[in-house]
Amino acid sequence: MVISPVLSPKPNPPGPGARPPTMKSKPLAILNSSNVQPPTAASTPGDTGRDMAEQMNDEVRKQFKTGAKLGEGTYAIVYSGHYKSDPSSLVAIKKIKVNQDYKDGIAMDAIREIKFLSELDHPNIIKLHAVFSTKDQNISLVLEHLPLGDIETLWKTHSISYSPADIKAWANMLAQAVWFCHENYVLHRDIKGNNLLIAADGTVKLADFGLARSFADPGRPMTYNVITRFYRPPELLLGARHYGGGVDVWSMGVVIAELAIREWFLPSNTDFEQLVAIYDVFGTPTEDSWPGVSQFEFYTPPDDSSVPAPANGTGPSHRATSPSQSTQSSIKRPQPLTYWRQRFPLLGEDGIDLIRGMLTLDPRKRLSAREVLEHRYWTNAPRPTKKEDLPRQGSGEEKMGEDLKRRGGEVESGRVDKVARKLDFGAMR
Amino acid sequence: MKLTEDDLYRTSTQFKHWSFTPSQLAAQRLQTNIQASERVKAAVQRQRAQRAKQLDPASASESDRNGTPVPLDREVNCLTVAEEKKLVDTFCEKAIELGGFFKFPIEVTATGIQFLRRFYLFNSPMTYEPQTISRSAMFVANKTEGHHMPLEKYAAGFPKATSEQVLAPEYLLVQALRFNFDIRHPFRALKGGHLDMIEMARGNAYTFASHILKTAALLTDAYFLYTPSQIWLSAHLLADELLTLFYLSTRLPPSSPLHSKTLTTLRSCAALLSSHHTFTSPTTSAADKAAKDKKEKEEVQLLIKKLRQCRDPDKLDLVKLNQAQKRDAVDGEGLEEKKAKRRKLEREGYQKEADSFWGPELPRRENGAGGK
């Protein structure tokens, strides 16, 4: 478990390098001899209205030049931009809009996104360069510029053809990102193709941490209303309030499957249909295959004539029939290996074994992010394609604007069928 | 593939932006204090100058607009660094009460308090009133820790504060926090460390010590020489020295003469236990262990061989001996059993005396046999 490194040396000096000491006022000169690096622009006697914090914020803001608007959503506006000191170092500036419906100050999505991205520094996670606020009290996130679109557009764009080795390369970058989040005790809770953006050099970067949270202490309930439906694991659909990294691993499995078949793997129109879609492929879970499954809030037993039907009115009304009752057979069997071989030829035997491990119904039997990385799929032939050799899509800057402007769980208009449930803040933990 | 705690902590904003040496911390607070004092003095000066322009110079000592009397000719008496810190500390304490009042989980309260402490590294209570800031800090902490409480409900918890008052300093606060929301608390680490220690004691140390008790302790003179408590503590000392020494110090203060006396006893017992060939410390290599076992086996084989050559022929067949004893008992009817036995043995002894080889053994055997 976590033990802070008591042996860590203290940073010296504190703070980032971007704080050149400019001493102006006389009283502060005495501090020059100390080893503290004071914030820039210490107030001069004439500079009475400005706090140190405000000055530090201005220093950060002045480093960037905001350019053209790339996209606008209800949650944020995304602009292109660059460092003033180096116009060739591009950034995306995501300005969080003040939400009219949210009366409680700074939005939780923004706090979450800033909180987690500030802590996670990894080549496969979108980099948060800086955060600043503007005079009109809007918060802006300066994010890494990722101009080559996202994983979802990649498989949707049929003019782009790609190979098993290409899939392996993309999937591996995703797997590393998820592993790194989990090593840092962060659950992403919204992994999907259009949250996986592609950098100019072909690197896949996990973005949108608006639904992220730290792993809960055991026993502390969490909301099951997370993850866009197509990517939502069965335990959340069944109403689990205690879960772990397995939820992200399931989503990751769906993303890799979509890359391999170039279509939605588990599409549905409702949460109920989503469970049906999952059971169609993986079979109906039973107490044998998934011990404890019958204890979930939204679990309904399969229509087995030998078992008396549950009393009416005990479950939620919209769950009156169980997903398995909609078909003739009472308990669906999992699809055989031949199904996987026919549908996923691009993954090969190893890849099929891997995604089936990631898409195991019982989260306790599902692979962990670390086990995913230890799978033989990555090391067996074919070798993953080198980043620079990966197929690319054309101008994706607008796509980046589209992807970054969303709030967690949101999808672009026209695809309302897939919208993740709105976060229930009352139940939110 | 595993990142160490060090790797994880080094990338945290807490380490990068909010870790200091004591002198850095003191210098930062001093700087904040100096700036705030200057600002207060300058602001008061301006107000006085303005008033002096407006007012009749005759009314020398006038109240300011808020009703606080500020003597015109006196310098504003600003808070010192120590006084500022004491105030902030006080409001941190009040924040604990606040958290208790709202029944916030401890990490919400703890985060709120750290927000407050971070805020006042760059701001003075003379500039921003701690009560106002602490209300806002606790509210932001709620959102940060994913424990959302509706603003209206939160504000209603205060007799005087409105929703607007709670929200007003939010941007000021998050700016001063440099948008670093993640606070690394030691709570989970405590749980983890505690579990580790239990695991050490139960898992490794217990298993190991228990193994010693089932082997070396039984196979040496330990029971003759030491009490049960001394034996288990010695076995535990061999299993986990630090933990055992710590445990001992909680029972016997290290200053007490009994402490060193007990420890000396434990060490000698531990030496006895660890001298046994079945003992292997966690650091013993497999090769060492094999060599040790081999040596032991050879020594024993030699001994057995030697024993065969020095066996007491009289005692080779205990069945016969037993029967003979019973027979003697019947033969010696009327005689005292002991006397009969002794006579028999003496008789045998004389016969043996004739045998020059066994001669020297005679007196000891006579005594020993007579006692039985």
Side-chain angles (χ1 to χ4, degrees), chain A residues 127-298:
Chain A
K127 187 172 169 53
L128 179 64
H129 289 282
V131 184
F132 60 80
S133 58
T134 41
K135 289 193 187 77
D136 54 350
Q137 298 210 328
N138 275 315
I139 292 180
S140 289
L141 282 68
V142 183
L143 291 159
E144 195 170 1
H145 188 254
L146 304 169
L148 293 185
D150 60 47
I151 289 282
E152 186 184 306
T153 5
L154 207 55
W155 64 254
K156 279 185 168 172
T157 310
H158 286 281
S159 56
I160 302 169
S161 61
Y162 52 77
S163 70
D166 300 335
I167 296 177
K168 190 178 288 190
W170 288 318
N172 188 254
M173 291 189 267
L174 164 59
Q176 291 198 46
V178 174
W179 166 78
F180 191 76
C181 289
H182 292 185
E183 283 291 298
N184 279 279
Y185 308 101
V186 174
L187 293 176
H188 185 279
R189 305 200 298 181
D190 199 18
I191 290 169
K192 55 180 172 178
N194 59 13
N195 276 340
L196 290 156
L197 309 193
I198 301 173
D201 68 351
T203 312
V204 171
K205 310 253 178 182
L206 180 58
D208 195 348
F209 280 68
L211 286 181
R213 65 157 294 149
S214 328
F215 283 39
D217 281 334
R220 179 90 43 96
M222 295 183 274
T223 175
Y224 48 78
N225 288 321
V226 284
I227 303 185
T228 305
R229 194 192 311 118
F230 293 4
Y231 306 88
R232 203 180 299 157
E235 66 268 30
L236 294 186
L237 292 161
L238 290 170
R241 293 196 156 275
H242 306 282
Y243 50 86
V247 298
D248 286 341
V249 173
W250 176 279
S251 310
M252 178 162 50
V254 178
V255 170
I256 298 172
E258 286 174 351
L259 261 176
I261 57 178
R262 302 197 74 149
E263 61 180 341
W264 302 120
F265 176 43
L266 298 168
S268 73
N269 294 307
T270 61
D271 291 357
F272 174 77
E273 275 183 34
Q274 188 65 40
L275 271 177
V276 175
I278 291 171
Y279 294 172
D280 280 344
V281 177
F282 301 97
T284 313
T286 61
E287 274 295 320
D288 287 336
S289 65
W290 181 352
V293 69
S294 61
Q295 302 306 306
F296 284 116
E297 192 178 344
F298 301 137

Side-chain angles (χ1 to χ4, degrees), chain A residues 1-5 8-16 19 25 27-28 30-31 34-39 42-43 45 47-54 56-57 98 102-108 111 114-115 118-119 121 131-133 137-139 179-180 183-185 214-217 220 370 373-374 425 428-429, chain B residues 1-3 5-6 8-17 19-21 23-25 27-28 30-32 34-35 38-39 42 46 105 107 121-123 127-128 139-140 142-152 167-168 170-172 174-176 178-182 184 186 188-193 195-196:
Chain A
M1 298 252 337
V2 191
I3 298 168
S4 2
S8 290
K10 287 286 173 190
N12 189 17
R19 269 167 59 185
S25 81
L28 291 174
I30 53 162
L31 292 174
S34 83
N35 58 352
V36 154
Q37 197 180 17
S43 86
D47 191 13
T48 46
R50 285 151 50 78
D51 294 338
M52 259 189 272
E54 212 175 316
M56 281 157 60
N57 179 63
V98 177
Y102 189 67
K103 304 288 183 199
D104 290 8
I106 301 170
M108 277 177 90
I111 290 180
I114 295 167
K115 173 178 168 178
S118 303
E119 306 294 321
D121 185 7
V131 184
F132 60 80
S133 58
Q137 298 210 328
N138 275 315
I139 292 180
W179 166 78
F180 191 76
E183 283 291 298
N184 279 279
Y185 308 101
S214 328
F215 283 39
D217 281 334
R220 179 90 43 96
R370 193 180 303 167
L373 282 187
E374 287 162 359
F425 286 117
M428 192 66 194
R429 287 273 158 145
Chain B
M1 221 168 305
K2 174 92 182 122
L3 295 172
E5 295 301 334
D6 232 40
L8 295 178
Y9 191 67
R10 272 170 203 281
T11 59
S12 70
T13 48
Q14 181 157 318
F15 177 75
K16 287 189 282 190
H17 300 164
S19 295
F20 307 92
T21 64
S23 60
Q24 287 169 340
L25 199 57
Q28 179 56 51
L30 177 62
Q31 188 190 350
T32 298
I34 290 170
Q35 275 185 253
E38 296 228 316
R39 255 168 68 164
R46 260 199 322 277
E107 67 270 14
L121 281 187
F122 292 101
N123 292 287
T127 318
Y128 297 111
F139 184 64
V140 175
N142 265 286
K143 292 196 275 190
T144 302
E145 295 298 328
H147 178 268
H148 189 65
M149 182 172 212
L151 174 61
E152 229 171 293
L167 282 194
E170 245 193 354
Y171 277 85
L172 201 64
V174 296
Q175 215 172 55
R178 305 170 68 179
F179 303 99
N180 296 161
F181 294 106
D182 194 51
R184 306 280 169 118
R188 240 185 232 192
L190 170 65
K191 271 184 201 163
L195 288 176
D196 279 353

Side-chain angles (χ1 to χ4, degrees), chain B residues 319-330:
Chain B
V319 176
K320 245 184 218 163
L321 205 60
N322 186 33
Q323 284 167 349
Q325 275 176 352
K326 281 182 191 159
R327 205 170 44 236
D328 279 1
V330 176

Side-chain angles (χ1 to χ4, degrees), chain B residues 23-236:
Chain B
S23 60
Q24 287 169 340
L25 199 57
Q28 179 56 51
R29 288 191 167 129
L30 177 62
Q31 188 190 350
T32 298
N33 174 264
I34 290 170
Q35 275 185 253
S37 304
E38 296 228 316
R39 255 168 68 164
V40 170
K41 283 172 193 168
V44 169
Q45 208 75 57
R46 260 199 322 277
Q47 279 195 355
R48 282 174 186 162
Q50 228 164 4
R51 241 182 335 220
K53 267 188 217 161
Q54 293 162 358
L55 291 174
D56 180 8
S59 57
S61 185
E62 191 61 49
S63 298
D64 70 9
R65 245 183 303 168
N66 297 329
T68 317
V70 182
L72 261 180
D73 50 348
R74 226 195 297 157
E75 171 93 308
V76 190
N77 188 12
C78 288
L79 294 176
T80 63
V81 176
E83 287 164 346
E84 283 181 327
K85 182 162 178 299
K86 178 142 188 142
L87 267 178
V88 173
D89 288 346
T90 306
F91 276 91
C92 288
E93 256 184 83
K94 284 190 191 289
I96 290 189
E97 290 169 28
L98 189 69
F101 172 76
F102 283 108
K103 297 194 172 64
F104 290 152
I106 183 60
E107 67 270 14
V108 171
T109 307
T111 294
I113 289 172
Q114 291 311 309
F115 282 173
L116 207 54
R117 300 186 80 80
R118 286 180 178 188
F119 179 85
Y120 283 111
L121 281 187
F122 292 101
N123 292 287
S124 162
M126 294 185 282
T127 318
Y128 297 111
E129 207 259 329
Q131 184 162 26
T132 319
I133 300 297
S134 69
R135 277 189 214 123
S136 192
M138 288 293 264
F139 184 64
V140 175
N142 265 286
K143 292 196 275 190
T144 302
E145 295 298 328
H147 178 268
H148 189 65
M149 182 172 212
L151 174 61
E152 229 171 293
K153 196 175 157 201
Y154 178 73
F158 300 98
K160 283 175 198 160
T162 62
S163 293
E164 291 71 33
Q165 282 171 326
V166 173
L167 282 194
E170 245 193 354
Y171 277 85
L172 201 64
L173 179 75
V174 296
Q175 215 172 55
L177 297 176
R178 305 170 68 179
F179 303 99
N180 296 161
F181 294 106
D182 194 51
I183 306 269
R184 306 280 169 118
H185 293 298
F187 302 121
R188 240 185 232 192
L190 170 65
K191 271 184 201 163
H194 182 63
L195 288 176
D196 279 353
M197 284 184 223
I198 289 174
E199 203 44 45
M200 266 182 219
R202 181 170 43 202
N204 304 327
Y206 178 82
T207 313
F208 191 79
S210 156
H211 177 72
I212 295 173
L213 293 189
K214 289 172 190 163
T215 53
L218 299 174
L219 303 171
T220 58
D221 282 341
Y223 278 48
F224 293 136
L225 301 171
Y226 304 102
T227 68
S229 297
Q230 287 167 346
I231 296 170
W232 83 253
L233 275 167
S234 303
H236 210 273

